[in-house]
Amino acid sequence: MMEAIAFAFLAVTSSMIILVLWCWWLVKPSTRRWMTARGAGQKMRCLVVLGSGGHTAEMFYDLATLGAYRNRIHLMYLVADTDRGSQAKAEAFEAQHGRGPAQVKTVPRAREVGQSYWSSIFTTLRALWYTLCAVLSDPPDVVMANGPGTCVPVVFAAYVTRALCLRDVKVMYSESFACVDHLSLSGRLVYYFADYFTVQWPQLLELYPKAQYAGRLYPAEEVERCRQGSLPLPPSQLEALPTEQGDPGPPTAIATVGSTKFDELIRAVDSRDFLSTLQGLGIKRLKVQRGAGQYQPENLGSPSQPALPGLEVEVLEYSPDLPTDLRRAALVISHAGAGTILDCLLAGRRLVVVPNETLMANHQVQLGEALQEQGLLFCFRAHELLPSLKQADFSKVRSFPQQSSPVFAKFLGQTLGAGFHGPTTLAANGRSSCKPDLPCLGPKSS
């Protein structure tokens, strides 16, 4: 009910803003300088909307699939003014690809994690105004988004740009990996307006036929065949996870809550019994990233006074090296955030996720349980973590597919007007493989 009220309020307010801007444009013809078309030799301007935590991680995985197309586009980033982590990742991504400082625009956040829908109406309207100014002053050719609340005002601003005949901005929306059986609120709002819309779980295609599948668990050809024939998907064919895990150094376990507060998880690992269980798994070091929560561990000891001999324990609020540490850990016990899960699965880590059930519009339970059904990780509630960890059989865990979907790059190629050429072959698992210097675009369907 509150969702419908919020949507209606935003729709009415948005219509009024469009009307005012339209009238202003009619009496201010000098603003038509924005209508200057992109020259033949100019790069396509792409505005990338980054959100906190998993949304940003997923977006950079998508951008990494663009291959040679990166040389034909100019990336601009839009982040919430309170999101320092995403801005740093944008800088790192641009530096990695040798393109100088990232061009980053900041706007007020539309909705904070855990903020009520009612109060988010007013913060969204404020963000909408600043976003309109940011987009209209320097309109892009393409908007790329994947679900953070910040993206809704940006998509609205893109359509204002179209309505004012300033530029035909295309919208590419990739629904988050976290959305297993229903779309996010942002996805439901954007679905009818996006030019390209992708999902990463095939069951969503039945509810949203406009969407295209861009997941990793199944080859797109198999998903489309089952979709056309109304057939159930067979179990995904995944290999066993290699037994060699972690850094060459002492086997390390990491317990992390990500960028949110999750005291229940920290309480669950704060016991000598938990430390003994880790020792039984061969763990020699434990890092606990407790985030900004209130709970302070009392039973884990310290580096100088370990709670158990032979097990070094370190407790920290956050570390800039945490993403790297996660990819090297022998065992990760984490909240069920999509970004952390993707990082760990792609790095081949043994992973236990604990959904944070206190979050609003929470997808963590569905994501954790869906991946557990695929045999990729274990999903336990906080209160059952210790007994469940004692019974977990990590020898049955399977590997997550490394090959990313070509759909994101394909959409961008269509927008660029590029032909899909080059050496593309079909791998044994039905996925596409290409030379490293070309975007992996996959086989054409027959």
Side-chain angles (χ1 to χ4, degrees):
M1 180 63 180
M2 292 302 298
E3 220 174 275
I5 294 174
F7 180 76
F9 186 84
L10 284 174
V12 172
T13 305
S14 301
S15 300
M16 294 175 62
I17 293 175
I18 288 178
L19 180 61
V20 171
L21 288 172
W22 178 254
C23 295
W24 172 76
W25 178 75
L26 289 176
V27 299
K28 286 281 190 179
S30 61
T31 59
R32 296 182 187 179
R33 61 184 176 84
W34 289 330
M35 296 180 66
T36 303
R38 178 170 54 93
Q42 291 181 324
K43 293 185 176 182
M44 176 174 286
R45 299 168 63 79
C46 299
L47 181 62
V48 181
V49 185
L50 300 179
S52 59
H55 289 298
T56 291
E58 290 185 71
M59 178 56 72
F60 283 115
Y61 280 124
D62 282 339
L63 294 177
T65 68
L66 297 182
Y69 287 148
R70 284 197 297 266
N71 298 324
R72 300 180 58 186
I73 61 175
H74 171 70
L75 294 178
M76 306 176 289
Y77 301 91
L78 188 140
V79 302
D81 52 9
T82 58
D83 186 3
R84 301 291 177 241
S86 293
Q87 184 167 343
K89 290 179 181 178
E91 296 285 0
F93 184 82
E94 292 296 313
Q96 178 184 353
H97 294 90
R99 300 198 294 191
Q103 183 180 345
V104 180
K105 301 181 180 184
T106 59
V107 296
R109 188 184 290 273
R111 179 175 176 267
E112 296 286 352
V113 175
Q115 183 180 349
S116 69
Y117 289 124
W118 177 251
S119 63
S120 68
I121 293 175
F122 305 101
T123 55
T124 299
L125 288 174
R126 178 171 178 263
L128 177 61
W129 172 252
Y130 281 91
T131 303
L132 276 171
C133 295
V135 174
L136 290 175
S137 63
D138 188 15
D141 299 297
V142 177
V143 167
M144 301 175 176
N146 67 352
T150 307
C151 82
V152 176
V154 177
V155 173
F156 173 77
Y159 267 77
V160 170
T161 306
R162 287 189 188 184
L164 298 180
C165 304
L166 305 179
R167 184 165 293 176
D168 185 18
V169 182
K170 301 296 183 183
V171 176
M172 295 172 56
Y173 184 91
S174 303
E175 185 57 284
S176 172
F177 180 60
C179 298
V180 177
D181 53 18
H182 62 278
L183 297 183
S184 63
L185 176 58
S186 297
R188 294 196 296 273
L189 293 174
V190 171
Y191 174 74
Y192 298 99
F193 302 97
D195 298 281
Y196 306 106
F197 193 101
T198 67
V199 295
Q200 301 189 53
W201 292 89
Q203 53 265 38
L204 288 171
L205 297 174
E206 298 180 12
L207 301 173
Y208 302 95
K210 169 185 171 179
Q212 291 199 37
Y213 175 71
R216 294 173 183 260
L217 290 175
Y218 297 93
E221 294 78 12
E222 184 177 1
V223 171
E224 185 60 24
R225 178 181 59 82
C226 293
R227 182 183 186 182
Q228 294 295 335
S230 299
L231 302 173
L233 276 168
S236 55
Q237 302 297 315
L238 303 176
E239 298 178 356
L241 188 69
T243 55
E244 293 184 6
Q245 292 288 314
D247 230 9
T252 300
I254 296 179
T256 174
V257 303
S259 59
T260 61
K261 301 177 182 179
F262 192 10
D263 285 344
E264 289 78 7
L265 175 55
I266 303 304
R267 288 191 181 95
V269 304
D270 185 24
S271 71
R272 291 176 61 90
D273 198 6
F274 174 78
L275 298 180
S276 297
T277 301
L278 291 184
Q279 282 189 321
L281 294 172
I283 299 299
K284 302 296 184 183
R285 297 175 57 196
L286 170 64
K287 285 188 176 182
V288 178
Q289 182 258 321
R290 65 179 187 84
Q294 300 298 317
Y295 183 77
Q296 295 280 356
E298 300 174 351
N299 304 302
L300 300 181
S302 65
S304 58
Q305 295 182 330
L308 287 182
L311 182 61
E312 178 186 340
V313 179
E314 179 184 3
V315 179
L316 61 158
E317 183 173 322
Y318 186 75
S319 168
D321 298 326
L322 182 62
T324 302
D325 292 341
L326 289 174
R327 297 184 184 99
R328 295 175 176 174
L331 173 65
V332 177
I333 300 172
S334 170
H335 72 125
T340 302
I341 288 177
L342 276 174
D343 284 345
C344 293
L345 291 182
L346 288 170
R349 302 302 91 194
R350 293 187 294 178
L351 179 60
V352 174
V353 298
V354 181
N356 185 349
E357 299 180 70
T358 64
L359 299 177
M360 293 184 62
N362 189 12
H363 301 273
Q364 293 196 4
V365 174
Q366 292 88 345
L367 178 61
E369 290 180 347
L371 293 173
Q372 180 172 249
E373 289 177 4
Q374 297 285 345
L376 293 164
L377 50 73
F378 290 101
C379 178
F380 304 138
R381 299 302 202 273
H383 66 273
E384 64 183 15
L385 174 61
L386 183 57
S388 298
L389 186 61
K390 291 179 178 180
Q391 298 177 10
D393 183 0
F394 289 98
S395 67
K396 297 182 179 180
V397 176
R398 299 194 290 173
S399 294
F400 190 64
Q402 297 292 310
Q403 179 63 57
S404 58
S405 168
V407 172
F408 191 81
K410 179 179 178 181
F411 283 169
L412 184 64
Q414 291 172 352
T415 305
L416 283 165
F420 300 109
H421 311 294
T424 304
T425 58
L426 190 63
N429 62 356
R431 298 180 182 274
S432 55
S433 58
C434 311
K435 289 186 177 180
D437 58 339
L438 293 174
C440 195
L441 299 175
K444 295 182 180 179
S445 58
S446 56

